[in-house]
Amino acid sequence: MNTLLPVRPSPADCTCFRVRSAARRVTQIYSKHLAPTGLRISQFSLLGFVTAQGPVTITELADLLATDRTTLTRNLRPLLSSGVIERATAVDKRRHELVATPAGRALFKRALPLWAAAEQEVRTAMGTKLTTDLHGALERSMEKLAAL
Amino acid sequence: MNTLLPVRPSPADCTCFRVRSAARRVTQIYSKHLAPTGLRISQFSLLGFVTAQGPVTITELADLLATDRTTLTRNLRPLLSSGVIERATAVDKRRHELVATPAGRALFKRALPLWAAAEQEVRTAMGTKLTTDLHGALERSMEKLAAL
DNA sequence: CGCTTTTGCGTGCATATACACAGTAATGCT
DNA sequence: AGCATTACTGTGTATATGCACGCAAAAGCG
């Protein structure tokens, strides 16, 4: 299990750099497709989770999305002000439960085929095997790195 | 090559979401290690490329890092003001050539073992095979997606 | 019941990211 | 040389990201 580092480590060998580069690249592609909806890809994900998970708190959402809680506070802002997500009053007054509004569910429904087109474009470009490999590697990596 | 999408697409199946989640996770790990240097991982990468590539322009750097050019303009700001990178006067007055200062090279040298520790921690957690798989999948993905 | 601890959130600060647009310098062409 | 084109860069605007810190509500305990 002694994974040796390259002899002359370079920033280009950095796992972090590679994952971040890939994230920037795919973000551009998805954003291009989703532009007509006015949603960024992160907003699409956020709206999707809120739509699917029903009433959910920011902390729960942070776990699902592997994002910092305080990041979500801000990322939710445009979605709250545009009325696609709203706060529900919870019994526990500390909890700020979030639900998708009818307009939010409609928007997500409209955005879904555009997301699918982006996903299809990426998967077609990569091919079936690479898509499977990438998803598998990312999935297993997240599991291994969750413990750290 | 007809890569079928899942029957009921969910944001969690999104390639973009997965890559972005992974990027957030690894960023946290590297940042933790690099904190004593005052460098973020993106700044470490930036400084590394400038140190290695010698005089380089923002546009060239943008290609190397797969980042938007205007992002680099801003990302360079803290590195310029802290004096680890400086502008060199080029013959072509449009070009803003960047070089690492002696302080910058020294800082990078100090940061290198901390980066190596982060890289080692990640690779140890993932294991040799998964590390190879992930790097390979990311590498090939970037190639395939570069054309889009 | 009153006090301490825990839990759920938001803010201040700093950086990261990229699109649309604009400015300036070099180049090419007539 | 003069003008159009191309190349290199910065800014305005908006979102994304997370750490340190502080606030309020609920829970636990004597």
Side-chain angles (χ1 to χ4, degrees), chain A residues 40-54:
Chain A
R40 308 292 186 84
I41 178 61
S42 57
Q43 298 176 336
F44 173 80
S45 296
L46 204 46
L47 180 56
F49 270 103
V50 172
T51 300
Q53 304 294 325

Side-chain angles (χ1 to χ4, degrees), chain B residues 4-73:
Chain B
L4 291 175
L5 287 170
V7 182
R8 286 194 69 243
S10 129
D13 297 319
C14 181
T15 301
C16 189
F17 170 71
R18 293 189 176 211
V19 178
R20 286 172 65 90
S21 295
R24 284 193 296 267
R25 185 69 193 98
V26 294
T27 296
Q28 283 178 22
I29 298 170
Y30 284 74
S31 294
K32 181 187 61 183
H33 282 271
L34 285 175
T37 67
L39 288 173
R40 308 293 186 85
I41 179 61
S42 57
Q43 298 176 337
F44 173 80
S45 296
L46 204 46
L47 180 55
F49 271 104
V50 172
T51 299
Q53 303 294 325
V56 64
T57 68
I58 288 190
T59 299
E60 291 165 352
L61 220 45
D63 286 338
L64 289 172
L65 294 161
T67 304
D68 189 86
R69 179 185 56 74
T70 64
T71 297
L72 289 184
T73 295

Side-chain angles (χ1 to χ4, degrees), chain A residues 29-30 33 116-132 135, chain B residues 1-5 15 140-141 144-145 147-148:
Chain A
I29 298 170
Y30 284 75
H33 284 271
E119 185 70 34
Q120 186 65 59
E121 181 179 8
V122 166
R123 292 186 182 215
T124 298
M126 301 203 321
T128 304
K129 180 171 189 315
L130 181 50
T131 298
T132 304
H135 278 237
Chain B
M1 187 76 130
N2 177 24
T3 306
L4 291 175
L5 287 170
T15 301
R140 286 180 291 153
S141 296
K144 299 294 187 184
L145 298 178
L148 301 185

